[in-house]
Amino acid sequence: MLVGSETERPTHLHTPRLLGAKTLTACWMAWRVSTHLLWGAVLGRLLVPRLSKQQRDERLQKWARKMLNRLGVELKIVGAPAQAGPMLLVSNHVSWVDILALYVACPCRFVSKADVERWPLVGALATGAGALFMRRESRRDAMRIVHRMTKALKDGDILAVFPEGTTSDGSSVLPFHSSLIQAAISADAPVQPAALQILNSESGESSRAISYIADDSLVGSIWRTLCARQLCAVVTFGAPQVAGGRDRRAWAQDLRGEIVAIRQR
């Protein structure tokens, strides 16, 4: 009995210390993330508007890559992401980390919900990066965004959309809304499917540490990310494809099927 009790004691003594160390590490990482986010807002508001498109892309890709590093999220890119437009990227949506991962892989402009424009710091950064903001509850606004997307694609931009319209828990791909796919048809531009997964880099299994669904708060999701370990965002790019006579609904359904198939490989 005496030997057994002595053997168990170190485990009980070290557990609080271990938890405290993890919390301190997460707090330090949170500070570094916050300062980098502040720098991103300065970039978006003051510096990026004065730069050429190439300079803007380089600055913002460097910022996004560094943010992933400060979050402790590894990035793995599979396939060949488009580096020049016109191109419409279509991806499933798991978390706010998706935007960082896609932007590092490919300098693109995102179509985002209008609320993001009003978010502190993030709104300034998204605006500087050329995001197109849409009120999803408004059909008229969706038509306006499709017209702007069509023009941007004709001008040679790379645009990125999340046709699920919201984030999921990552276990499956939600049905696709097809309205924004119309821009690629109107501009006669190709579409490239991209499949996003958040994995534990050691086990290779799906991780929900970065989830941002239902009642999740952005702050809470970021904190879980900082407390987690061995996270890897995997972005797998499929081959670009053209409409080939498909309407937007049929094309959206086929693109979803392609992303589901990519995730299952």
Side-chain angles (χ1 to χ4, degrees), residues 68 73 75 91-105 108 110 160 162 164 166-168 170 195-198 210 212 233-235 237:
L68 285 175
V73 178
L75 175 61
S91 174
N92 63 307
H93 199 11
V94 180
S95 174
W96 46 273
V97 170
D98 303 347
I99 296 171
L100 297 171
L102 281 174
Y103 198 86
V104 171
C108 54
F110 288 92
F162 300 109
E164 289 169 296
T166 186
T167 52
S168 71
L196 276 155
Q197 295 173 284
I198 306 298
I210 307 181
Y212 184 45
V234 180
V235 191
F237 290 89

Side-chain angles (χ1 to χ4, degrees), residues 99-130:
I99 296 171
L100 297 171
L102 281 174
Y103 198 86
V104 171
C106 175
C108 54
R109 299 173 63 188
F110 288 92
V111 178
S112 178
K113 62 181 183 180
D115 295 352
V116 173
E117 189 174 13
R118 297 188 294 272
W119 287 4
L121 303 181
V122 175
L125 179 61
T127 300

